[in-house]
Structure formats: C-alpha cells, structure tokens
Coordinates of all heavy atoms in Angstrom, one line a residue:
M15 N -67.9 6.1 -8.3 CA -69.1 5.1 -8.2 C -68.9 4.1 -9.3 O -69.0 2.9 -9.2 CB -70.4 5.8 -8.2 CG -71.6 4.8 -7.9 SD -71.4 4.1 -6.2 CE -72.7 2.9 -6.3
K16 N -68.8 4.7 -10.6 CA -68.6 3.8 -11.7 C -67.4 2.9 -11.6 O -67.5 1.7 -12.0 CB -68.5 4.7 -12.9 CG -69.7 4.6 -14.0 CD -69.5 5.3 -15.2 CE -70.7 5.3 -16.1 NZ -70.5 6.0 -17.3
K17 N -66.4 3.5 -11.1 CA -65.1 2.7 -11.0 C -65.2 1.6 -10.0 O -64.8 0.4 -10.3 CB -64.0 3.7 -10.4 CG -62.6 3.3 -10.9 CD -61.6 4.2 -10.4 CE -60.2 3.8 -11.0 NZ -59.1 4.7 -10.4
V18 N -66.0 1.8 -8.9 CA -66.3 0.7 -8.0 C -67.1 -0.4 -8.6 O -66.7 -1.5 -8.4 CB -67.0 1.4 -6.7 CG1 -67.5 0.2 -5.7 CG2 -66.3 2.4 -6.0
L19 N -68.0 0.1 -9.3 CA -68.8 -0.9 -10.0 C -68.0 -1.8 -10.9 O -68.1 -3.1 -10.9 CB -69.9 -0.2 -10.9 CG -71.3 -0.1 -10.2 CD1 -72.3 0.6 -11.1 CD2 -71.9 -1.6 -10.0
S20 N -67.2 -1.2 -11.8 CA -66.5 -2.0 -12.8 C -65.3 -2.8 -12.1 O -65.2 -4.0 -12.4 CB -65.8 -1.1 -13.8 OG -64.8 -0.4 -13.1
N21 N -64.9 -2.4 -11.0 CA -64.0 -3.3 -10.0 C -64.7 -4.5 -9.6 O -64.3 -5.5 -9.7 CB -63.5 -2.4 -8.9 CG -62.3 -1.7 -9.2 OD1 -61.7 -1.8 -10.4 ND2 -61.9 -0.7 -8.3
C22 N -65.9 -4.2 -9.1 CA -66.8 -5.4 -8.5 C -67.1 -6.4 -9.9 O -67.0 -7.5 -9.6 CB -68.1 -4.8 -8.2 SG -68.1 -4.1 -6.5
E23 N -67.3 -5.7 -11.0 CA -67.7 -6.6 -12.1 C -66.4 -7.5 -12.4 O -66.6 -8.8 -12.7 CB -68.0 -5.8 -13.3 CG -69.4 -5.9 -13.7 CD -69.7 -4.8 -14.8 OE1 -69.1 -4.9 -15.7 OE2 -70.8 -4.3 -14.7
S24 N -65.3 -7.0 -12.5 CA -64.1 -7.7 -12.9 C -63.8 -8.8 -11.9 O -63.4 -9.9 -12.2 CB -62.9 -6.9 -13.2 OG -62.5 -6.3 -12.0
K25 N -64.0 -8.4 -10.5 CA -63.8 -9.3 -9.5 C -64.9 -10.5 -9.6 O -64.6 -11.6 -9.4 CB -64.0 -8.7 -8.1 CG -62.7 -8.4 -7.4 CD -63.0 -7.7 -6.2 CE -61.7 -7.0 -5.6 NZ -62.0 -6.1 -4.5
F26 N -66.1 -10.2 -10.0 CA -67.2 -11.1 -10.2 C -66.8 -12.0 -11.3 O -67.0 -13.3 -11.1 CB -68.5 -10.4 -10.4 CG -69.7 -11.3 -10.8 CD1 -70.2 -12.1 -9.8 CD2 -70.1 -11.4 -12.1 CE1 -71.2 -12.9 -10.1 CE2 -71.2 -12.2 -12.3 CZ -71.6 -13.1 -11.3
H27 N -66.3 -11.5 -12.4 CA -66.0 -12.2 -13.5 C -64.9 -13.2 -13.2 O -64.9 -14.4 -13.6 CB -65.6 -11.4 -14.7 CG -66.7 -10.7 -15.4 ND1 -66.6 -9.7 -16.1 CD2 -68.0 -11.3 -15.5 CE1 -67.9 -9.4 -16.6 NE2 -68.7 -10.3 -16.2
S28 N -63.9 -12.7 -12.4 CA -62.7 -13.6 -12.1 C -63.2 -14.7 -11.1 O -62.8 -15.9 -11.3 CB -61.6 -12.8 -11.3 OG -61.2 -11.7 -12.1
L29 N -64.2 -14.4 -10.3 CA -64.8 -15.4 -9.4 C -65.6 -16.4 -10.3 O -65.3 -17.6 -10.0 CB -65.8 -14.7 -8.5 CG -66.3 -15.5 -7.3 CD1 -65.2 -15.9 -6.4 CD2 -67.4 -14.8 -6.6
C30 N -66.3 -15.9 -11.3 CA -66.9 -16.8 -12.2 C -65.9 -17.7 -12.9 O -66.1 -19.0 -12.9 CB -67.6 -16.1 -13.2 SG -69.3 -15.5 -12.8
C31 N -64.9 -17.2 -13.3 CA -63.8 -18.0 -14.0 C -63.2 -19.1 -13.1 O -63.1 -20.2 -13.5 CB -62.8 -17.1 -14.5 SG -63.2 -16.2 -15.9
S32 N -63.1 -18.7 -11.8 CA -62.4 -19.8 -10.8 C -63.5 -20.8 -10.4 O -63.1 -21.8 -10.2 CB -61.9 -19.0 -9.7 OG -62.9 -18.3 -9.0
I33 N -64.8 -20.5 -10.6 CA -65.7 -21.5 -10.2 C -66.1 -22.3 -11.5 O -66.1 -23.6 -11.4 CB -66.9 -20.8 -9.7 CG1 -66.7 -20.1 -8.3 CG2 -68.1 -21.9 -9.5 CD1 -67.9 -19.2 -7.8
F34 N -66.5 -21.6 -12.5 CA -67.0 -22.3 -13.7 C -65.8 -22.5 -14.8 O -66.2 -23.3 -15.8 CB -68.1 -21.5 -14.3 CG -69.3 -21.2 -13.4 CD1 -69.5 -20.0 -12.9 CD2 -70.0 -22.3 -12.9 CE1 -70.5 -19.8 -12.0 CE2 -71.1 -22.0 -12.1 CZ -71.3 -20.8 -11.6
G35 N -64.8 -22.0 -14.6 CA -63.6 -22.1 -15.6 C -63.8 -20.9 -16.7 O -64.9 -20.3 -16.7
H36 N -62.8 -20.7 -17.3 CA -62.8 -19.6 -18.3 C -63.7 -20.0 -19.5 O -63.9 -21.0 -19.9 CB -61.4 -19.4 -18.8 CG -60.4 -19.0 -17.6 ND1 -60.4 -17.7 -17.2 CD2 -59.4 -19.8 -17.0 CE1 -59.5 -17.8 -16.1 NE2 -58.9 -18.9 -16.1
H37 N -64.2 -18.8 -20.1 CA -65.1 -18.9 -21.2 C -64.2 -18.4 -22.4 O -64.2 -17.2 -22.6 CB -66.3 -18.1 -21.0 CG -67.4 -18.4 -22.2 ND1 -68.7 -18.3 -21.9 CD2 -67.2 -18.7 -23.4 CE1 -69.3 -18.5 -23.1 NE2 -68.4 -18.7 -24.0
Y38 N -63.4 -19.2 -23.0 CA -62.6 -18.7 -24.1 C -63.3 -18.6 -25.5 O -64.1 -19.4 -25.8 CB -61.4 -19.7 -24.3 CG -60.4 -19.8 -23.1 CD1 -60.2 -21.0 -22.4 CD2 -59.7 -18.7 -22.8 CE1 -59.4 -21.0 -21.4 CE2 -59.0 -18.6 -21.6 CZ -58.8 -19.8 -20.9 OH -57.9 -19.9 -19.9
S39 N -63.0 -17.6 -26.1 CA -63.3 -17.5 -27.6 C -62.1 -17.3 -28.4 O -61.2 -16.7 -28.0 CB -64.4 -16.3 -27.7 OG -63.6 -15.1 -27.8
V40 N -62.1 -17.8 -29.6 CA -61.0 -17.7 -30.5 C -60.7 -16.2 -30.8 O -61.5 -15.5 -31.3 CB -61.2 -18.5 -31.8 CG1 -60.0 -18.4 -32.7 CG2 -61.5 -19.9 -31.4
S41 N -59.4 -15.8 -30.5 CA -59.0 -14.5 -30.8 C -58.2 -14.4 -32.1 O -58.1 -13.3 -32.8 CB -58.3 -13.7 -29.6 OG -57.1 -14.5 -29.4
K42 N -57.5 -15.5 -32.4 CA -56.7 -15.5 -33.6 C -56.5 -17.0 -34.0 O -56.2 -17.8 -33.2 CB -55.4 -15.0 -33.1 CG -54.4 -14.7 -34.4 CD -53.2 -14.0 -33.9 CE -52.2 -13.7 -35.1 NZ -51.0 -13.2 -34.5
K43 N -56.6 -17.2 -35.3 CA -56.3 -18.5 -35.9 C -55.0 -18.4 -36.4 O -54.5 -17.8 -37.3 CB -57.3 -18.7 -37.0 CG -58.3 -19.8 -36.9 CD -59.2 -19.9 -38.0 CE -59.5 -21.4 -38.2 NZ -60.3 -21.6 -39.5
V44 N -54.1 -19.3 -35.8 CA -52.6 -19.3 -36.2 C -52.5 -20.4 -37.4 O -52.1 -20.0 -38.5 CB -51.7 -19.7 -35.0 CG1 -50.3 -19.7 -35.5 CG2 -52.0 -18.6 -33.9
T45 N -52.7 -21.6 -37.1 CA -52.8 -22.6 -38.2 C -54.2 -23.4 -38.0 O -55.0 -23.0 -37.1 CB -51.6 -23.6 -38.0 OG1 -51.9 -24.4 -36.9 CG2 -50.3 -22.8 -37.8
L46 N -54.2 -24.4 -38.8 CA -55.5 -25.2 -38.7 C -55.7 -25.8 -37.2 O -56.8 -25.9 -36.9 CB -55.3 -26.5 -39.7 CG -56.6 -27.1 -40.1 CD1 -57.5 -26.1 -40.8 CD2 -56.3 -28.2 -41.1
H47 N -54.6 -26.1 -36.6 CA -54.7 -26.8 -35.3 C -54.4 -25.9 -34.1 O -54.5 -26.2 -32.9 CB -53.8 -28.1 -35.2 CG -54.1 -29.0 -36.3 ND1 -55.2 -29.7 -36.3 CD2 -53.3 -29.3 -37.4 CE1 -55.2 -30.5 -37.4 NE2 -54.1 -30.2 -38.1
I48 N -53.7 -24.7 -34.5 CA -53.3 -23.8 -33.4 C -54.0 -22.5 -33.4 O -54.0 -21.8 -34.5 CB -51.7 -23.5 -33.4 CG1 -51.0 -24.9 -33.3 CG2 -51.3 -22.6 -32.3 CD1 -49.5 -24.8 -33.4
K49 N -54.6 -22.2 -32.3 CA -55.4 -21.0 -32.1 C -55.0 -20.2 -31.0 O -54.5 -20.8 -29.9 CB -56.8 -21.2 -32.2 CG -57.4 -21.8 -33.5 CD -58.9 -22.1 -33.4 CE -59.4 -22.8 -34.6 NZ -59.2 -24.2 -34.6
E50 N -55.2 -18.9 -30.9 CA -55.2 -18.1 -29.6 C -56.6 -17.9 -29.2 O -57.5 -17.6 -29.9 CB -54.4 -16.9 -29.9 CG -52.9 -17.1 -30.3 CD -52.1 -15.8 -30.6 OE1 -52.7 -14.7 -30.5 OE2 -51.0 -16.0 -30.9
Y51 N -56.7 -18.0 -27.8 CA -58.0 -17.7 -27.2 C -57.9 -16.6 -26.1 O -56.9 -16.4 -25.6 CB -58.5 -19.0 -26.5 CG -58.6 -20.1 -27.5 CD1 -57.5 -21.1 -27.6 CD2 -59.8 -20.5 -28.0 CE1 -57.6 -22.2 -28.5 CE2 -59.9 -21.6 -28.8 CZ -58.8 -22.4 -29.0 OH -58.9 -23.7 -29.8
K52 N -59.1 -16.0 -25.9 CA -59.2 -15.0 -24.9 C -60.4 -15.2 -24.2 O -61.4 -15.5 -24.8 CB -59.3 -13.6 -25.6 CG -59.0 -12.4 -24.6 CD -59.0 -11.2 -25.4 CE -58.3 -10.1 -24.6 NZ -58.3 -8.9 -25.4
C53 N -60.3 -15.2 -22.8 CA -61.5 -15.5 -22.0 C -62.4 -14.1 -22.1 O -61.9 -13.1 -22.0 CB -61.1 -15.7 -20.6 SG -62.5 -15.8 -19.4
I54 N -63.6 -14.3 -22.3 CA -64.5 -13.2 -22.5 C -64.8 -12.5 -21.2 O -65.3 -11.4 -21.1 CB -65.9 -13.6 -23.2 CG1 -66.7 -14.7 -22.3 CG2 -65.6 -14.1 -24.7 CD1 -68.1 -14.8 -22.9
H55 N -64.5 -13.1 -20.1 CA -64.8 -12.6 -18.8 C -63.6 -11.8 -18.2 O -63.7 -10.7 -17.8 CB -65.3 -13.7 -17.8 CG -66.6 -14.3 -18.1 ND1 -67.7 -13.5 -18.5 CD2 -66.9 -15.6 -18.4 CE1 -68.6 -14.4 -18.8 NE2 -68.2 -15.6 -18.8
C56 N -62.5 -12.5 -18.0 CA -61.3 -11.9 -17.4 C -60.2 -11.5 -18.3 O -59.2 -11.0 -17.9 CB -60.8 -12.8 -16.3 SG -60.1 -14.4 -17.0
E57 N -60.4 -11.8 -19.6 CA -59.5 -11.4 -20.6 C -58.1 -12.2 -20.7 O -57.1 -11.8 -21.1 CB -59.3 -9.9 -20.8 CG -60.5 -9.1 -21.0 CD -60.3 -7.8 -21.6 OE1 -59.3 -7.2 -21.2 OE2 -61.1 -7.3 -22.3
R58 N -58.1 -13.3 -20.0 CA -57.0 -14.1 -19.9 C -56.7 -14.7 -21.3 O -57.6 -15.2 -21.9 CB -57.1 -15.2 -18.8 CG -55.9 -16.2 -18.7 CD -56.5 -17.4 -17.8 NE -55.7 -18.5 -18.1 CZ -54.7 -19.0 -17.5 NH1 -54.2 -18.4 -16.5 NH2 -54.1 -20.1 -17.9
E59 N -55.5 -14.7 -21.7 CA -55.2 -15.3 -23.1 C -54.4 -16.5 -23.0 O -53.4 -16.6 -22.2 CB -54.4 -14.2 -23.9 CG -55.2 -13.0 -24.3 CD -54.4 -12.0 -25.2 OE1 -53.6 -11.5 -24.6 OE2 -54.9 -11.8 -26.3
V60 N -54.8 -17.5 -23.8 CA -54.1 -18.8 -23.8 C -53.9 -19.2 -25.3 O -54.5 -18.6 -26.2 CB -54.9 -19.8 -23.1 CG1 -54.9 -19.6 -21.7 CG2 -56.3 -20.1 -23.7
T61 N -53.1 -20.2 -25.5 CA -52.9 -20.7 -26.9 C -52.7 -22.2 -26.9 O -52.3 -22.8 -25.9 CB -51.7 -20.0 -27.6 OG1 -51.5 -20.4 -28.9 CG2 -50.4 -20.3 -26.8
T62 N -52.9 -22.7 -28.0 CA -52.7 -24.2 -28.2 C -51.1 -24.4 -28.2 O -50.4 -23.7 -29.0 CB -53.2 -24.7 -29.4 OG1 -54.5 -24.1 -29.7 CG2 -53.5 -26.2 -29.4
D63 N -50.7 -25.3 -27.3 CA -49.1 -25.5 -27.4 C -48.9 -26.7 -28.2 O -49.7 -27.3 -28.8 CB -48.6 -25.6 -26.0 CG -49.1 -26.8 -25.2 OD1 -49.7 -27.8 -25.8 OD2 -48.8 -26.9 -24.0
A64 N -47.5 -27.1 -28.2 CA -47.1 -28.1 -29.1 C -47.8 -29.5 -28.7 O -47.8 -30.4 -29.6 CB -45.5 -28.4 -29.0
N65 N -48.3 -29.7 -27.5 CA -48.9 -30.9 -27.2 C -50.4 -30.9 -27.4 O -51.1 -31.7 -27.1 CB -48.7 -31.1 -25.7 CG -47.2 -31.2 -25.3 OD1 -46.5 -31.9 -26.0 ND2 -46.7 -30.6 -24.3
G66 N -50.9 -29.8 -28.0 CA -52.3 -29.6 -28.3 C -53.1 -29.2 -27.1 O -54.4 -29.3 -27.1
K67 N -52.4 -28.9 -25.9 CA -53.2 -28.4 -24.8 C -53.0 -26.9 -24.7 O -52.3 -26.2 -25.4 CB -52.4 -28.9 -23.5 CG -52.7 -30.5 -23.4 CD -52.1 -31.0 -22.2 CE -52.2 -32.5 -22.0 NZ -51.4 -33.2 -21.1
L68 N -54.0 -26.3 -24.0 CA -53.9 -24.8 -23.7 C -52.9 -24.4 -22.7 O -52.8 -25.0 -21.6 CB -55.3 -24.4 -23.3 CG -56.5 -24.5 -24.3 CD1 -57.8 -23.9 -23.6 CD2 -56.2 -23.8 -25.6
S69 N -52.1 -23.4 -23.0 CA -51.2 -22.9 -22.1 C -51.2 -21.5 -22.3 O -51.6 -20.8 -23.3 CB -49.8 -23.4 -22.3 OG -49.2 -23.3 -23.6
Q70 N -50.8 -20.8 -21.3 CA -50.8 -19.3 -21.2 C -50.1 -18.6 -22.3 O -49.0 -19.1 -22.7 CB -50.2 -18.8 -19.8 CG -50.8 -17.4 -19.4 CD -50.3 -16.9 -18.2 OE1 -49.8 -17.7 -17.3 NE2 -50.3 -15.6 -17.9
L71 N -50.7 -17.6 -22.9 CA -50.1 -16.9 -24.0 C -49.0 -15.9 -23.5 O -49.3 -14.8 -23.1 CB -51.1 -16.2 -24.8 CG -50.7 -15.6 -26.1 CD1 -50.2 -16.6 -27.0 CD2 -51.8 -14.7 -26.8
T72 N -47.8 -16.4 -23.5 CA -46.7 -15.5 -23.1 C -46.1 -14.8 -24.3 O -46.4 -15.2 -25.5 CB -45.5 -16.3 -22.5 OG1 -45.1 -17.3 -23.5 CG2 -46.0 -17.0 -21.2
P73 N -45.4 -13.7 -24.2 CA -44.8 -13.1 -25.4 C -44.0 -14.0 -26.2 O -44.0 -13.9 -27.4 CB -43.8 -12.0 -24.7 CG -44.5 -11.7 -23.4 CD -45.0 -13.0 -22.9
E74 N -43.3 -15.0 -25.6 CA -42.5 -16.1 -26.4 C -43.5 -16.8 -27.2 O -43.2 -17.1 -28.4 CB -41.8 -16.9 -25.4 CG -40.5 -16.4 -24.7 CD -40.9 -15.5 -23.5 OE1 -42.2 -15.6 -23.0 OE2 -40.1 -14.8 -23.0
M75 N -44.7 -17.3 -26.6 CA -45.6 -18.1 -27.3 C -46.1 -17.3 -28.5 O -46.4 -17.9 -29.6 CB -46.7 -18.5 -26.5 CG -46.3 -19.5 -25.4 SD -45.9 -21.1 -26.1 CE -47.5 -21.9 -26.1
Q76 N -46.3 -15.9 -28.3 CA -46.8 -15.1 -29.3 C -45.9 -15.0 -30.4 O -46.3 -15.1 -31.7 CB -47.0 -13.6 -28.8 CG -48.5 -13.5 -28.4 CD -48.8 -12.1 -27.7 OE1 -48.0 -11.6 -27.1 NE2 -49.9 -11.5 -28.1
E77 N -44.6 -15.0 -30.3 CA -43.5 -15.0 -31.2 C -43.5 -16.2 -32.0 O -43.5 -16.3 -33.2 CB -42.2 -14.8 -30.6 CG -41.7 -13.3 -30.7 CD -40.4 -13.0 -30.0 OE1 -39.4 -13.9 -30.3 OE2 -40.3 -12.1 -29.2
I78 N -43.7 -17.3 -31.3 CA -43.7 -18.6 -31.9 C -44.9 -18.8 -32.9 O -44.8 -19.2 -34.0 CB -43.7 -19.8 -31.0 CG1 -42.3 -19.8 -30.1 CG2 -43.9 -21.2 -31.5 CD1 -42.4 -20.7 -28.9
N79 N -46.0 -18.4 -32.4 CA -47.3 -18.4 -33.2 C -47.2 -17.4 -34.4 O -47.6 -17.9 -35.6 CB -48.4 -17.9 -32.3 CG -48.9 -19.0 -31.4 OD1 -48.5 -20.1 -31.4 ND2 -49.9 -18.7 -30.6
A80 N -46.5 -16.3 -34.3 CA -46.4 -15.4 -35.4 C -45.5 -16.0 -36.5 O -45.9 -16.0 -37.8 CB -45.8 -14.1 -34.9
A81 N -44.5 -16.7 -36.1 CA -43.6 -17.4 -37.0 C -44.4 -18.6 -37.7 O -44.4 -18.8 -38.9 CB -42.5 -18.1 -36.3
L82 N -45.1 -19.4 -36.9 CA -46.0 -20.5 -37.3 C -47.0 -20.0 -38.3 O -47.1 -20.7 -39.5 CB -46.7 -21.2 -36.3 CG -45.9 -22.2 -35.4 CD1 -46.8 -22.7 -34.2 CD2 -45.4 -23.4 -36.2
E83 N -47.6 -18.9 -38.1 CA -48.6 -18.3 -39.0 C -48.0 -18.0 -40.3 O -48.6 -18.2 -41.3 CB -49.2 -17.0 -38.2 CG -50.4 -16.5 -38.9 CD -50.9 -15.2 -38.3 OE1 -50.2 -14.6 -37.6 OE2 -52.1 -14.9 -38.6
K84 N -46.8 -17.3 -40.3 CA -46.2 -17.1 -41.6 C -45.9 -18.2 -42.3 O -46.2 -18.3 -43.5 CB -44.9 -16.2 -41.3 CG -45.0 -14.8 -41.2 CD -43.6 -14.1 -41.1 CE -43.8 -12.7 -40.6 NZ -42.5 -12.2 -40.3
L85 N -45.4 -19.3 -41.7 CA -45.1 -20.6 -42.3 C -46.3 -21.2 -43.0 O -46.3 -21.6 -44.1 CB -44.4 -21.5 -41.4 CG -43.0 -21.6 -41.3 CD1 -42.6 -22.7 -40.1 CD2 -42.4 -21.9 -42.5
Y86 N -47.3 -21.1 -42.1 CA -48.6 -21.8 -42.5 C -49.2 -21.1 -43.8 O -49.7 -21.7 -44.7 CB -49.6 -21.7 -41.4 CG -50.9 -22.4 -41.7 CD1 -51.0 -23.9 -41.7 CD2 -52.0 -21.6 -42.0 CE1 -52.2 -24.3 -41.9 CE2 -53.2 -22.2 -42.3 CZ -53.4 -23.6 -42.2 OH -54.5 -24.2 -42.5
Q87 N -49.1 -19.7 -43.8 CA -49.7 -19.0 -44.8 C -48.9 -19.2 -46.1 O -49.4 -19.0 -47.3 CB -49.8 -17.6 -44.4 CG -50.9 -17.2 -43.5 CD -51.0 -15.8 -43.0 OE1 -50.1 -15.1 -43.3 NE2 -52.1 -15.5 -42.3
K88 N -47.6 -19.4 -46.0 CA -46.8 -19.7 -47.2 C -47.2 -21.0 -47.8 O -47.3 -21.1 -49.0 CB -45.3 -19.8 -46.7 CG -44.4 -18.7 -47.2 CD -43.0 -18.9 -46.9 CE -42.1 -17.7 -46.9 NZ -40.7 -17.9 -46.5
K89 N -47.5 -22.0 -46.9 CA -47.8 -23.3 -47.5 C -49.3 -23.4 -47.9 O -49.7 -24.2 -48.7 CB -47.7 -24.3 -46.3 CG -46.3 -24.7 -46.1 CD -46.1 -25.9 -45.1 CE -44.7 -26.2 -44.8 NZ -44.5 -27.3 -43.8
H90 N -50.2 -22.5 -47.2 CA -51.5 -22.6 -47.6 C -52.0 -21.1 -47.9 O -52.7 -20.5 -47.1 CB -52.4 -23.1 -46.4 CG -51.9 -24.4 -45.9 ND1 -51.0 -24.6 -45.0 CD2 -52.4 -25.7 -46.3 CE1 -50.8 -25.9 -44.8 NE2 -51.6 -26.5 -45.6
P91 N -51.5 -20.6 -49.1 CA -52.0 -19.3 -49.4 C -53.4 -19.2 -49.6 O -54.1 -20.2 -50.3 CB -51.2 -19.0 -50.7 CG -50.7 -20.3 -51.3 CD -50.7 -21.2 -50.1
S92 N -54.1 -18.2 -49.2 CA -55.5 -18.0 -49.3 C -55.7 -17.5 -50.9 O -54.8 -17.0 -51.5 CB -56.1 -16.9 -48.5 OG -55.5 -15.7 -48.8
P93 N -56.9 -17.8 -51.4 CA -57.2 -17.6 -52.8 C -56.9 -16.1 -53.2 O -56.4 -15.8 -54.3 CB -58.7 -17.8 -52.9 CG -59.0 -18.8 -51.9 CD -58.1 -18.4 -50.7
Q94 N -57.0 -15.2 -52.3 CA -56.8 -13.8 -52.5 C -55.3 -13.5 -52.8 O -54.9 -12.7 -53.7 CB -57.3 -12.9 -51.4 CG -58.8 -12.8 -51.3 CD -59.4 -13.8 -50.3 OE1 -58.8 -14.9 -50.2 NE2 -60.5 -13.4 -49.7
Q95 N -54.5 -14.2 -52.1 CA -53.1 -14.0 -52.1 C -52.5 -14.6 -53.5 O -51.6 -14.2 -54.0 CB -52.3 -14.7 -50.9 CG -52.4 -13.8 -49.7 CD -51.9 -14.3 -48.5 OE1 -51.9 -15.6 -48.4 NE2 -51.2 -13.6 -47.6
V96 N -53.1 -15.7 -53.9 CA -52.7 -16.3 -55.1 C -53.0 -15.5 -56.4 O -52.2 -15.3 -57.2 CB -53.4 -17.7 -55.4 CG1 -53.1 -18.3 -56.8 CG2 -53.0 -18.7 -54.3
A97 N -54.2 -14.8 -56.3 CA -54.6 -14.0 -57.5 C -54.0 -12.7 -57.5 O -52.9 -12.3 -57.1 CB -56.1 -13.8 -57.4
Ligands
ZN27 ZN1 -61.6 -16.1 -17.4

C-alpha cells in the first residue's frame, strides 16, 4: 500500500513538473556563475552550461564541473584555506 502511494506521488510530481516546470534548488555551487541544481519534486539534476543555460547534468558535465570547481577554489581560496 505504501509502495503504491509513493509511486502515485512520484507520478504526481512528474506530472506537476511537466505542467508547471521543474522546481530547481541549488544542490552545489561550482563557481560564481555555475551551479548544479536538483528538482525538489522529481530529483532531475541540471547544471549551468558554457552558454549560461541549464542543461542536464550528465557524468561528463559532473567531471567538468569538478575540474572547474578545483580551478575556481585555487583562484578564490576561502579565508579558512588561507589561514
Ligand atoms: Zn521536476
């Protein structure tokens, strides 16, 4: 019964997403301009691409973001890392 309910819920959420659009919340800050987002309803993950648009977060994109994040942190060390 519980399983049926949760199936219904996820279907409902997906339906919501297809009608109202995804409700993304930031899941990871990569750089000042690039972030990773996750839909709070269907858990779809997207990221800011080179054109500043949202595209699906593929394993390749995740690798690129990880590299960008390292570069960014080198250039902009947080106060804790300096001290
Ligand atoms: Zn969604």
Side-chain angles (χ1 to χ4, degrees):
M15 191 61 190
K16 248 187 182 174
K17 209 175 180 188
V18 174
L19 259 180
S20 70
N21 275 346
C22 281
E23 248 173 47
S24 67
K25 263 184 198 165
F26 175 71
H27 282 156
S28 307
L29 189 67
C30 276
C31 287
S32 62
I33 295 170
F34 301 111
H36 299 283
H37 189 151
Y38 293 121
S39 78
V40 177
S41 60
K42 190 177 179 185
K43 248 181 142 179
V44 180
T45 71
L46 201 60
H47 303 291
I48 298 173
K49 296 180 186 80
E50 289 175 9
Y51 303 87
K52 196 177 201 175
C53 177
I54 61 167
H55 298 303
C56 68
E57 302 203 325
R58 181 189 148 97
E59 289 182 298
V60 294
T61 185
T62 323
D63 67 12
N65 302 315
K67 289 177 181 169
L68 290 181
S69 57
Q70 203 179 340
L71 186 64
T72 59
E74 287 83 10
M75 292 294 270
Q76 265 179 321
E77 262 178 45
I78 292 168
N79 281 355
L82 281 175
E83 191 183 14
K84 269 188 197 166
L85 267 178
Y86 182 77
Q87 283 175 353
K88 251 189 202 174
K89 282 187 183 174
H90 306 88
S92 65
Q94 287 96 328
Q95 282 175 322
V96 171

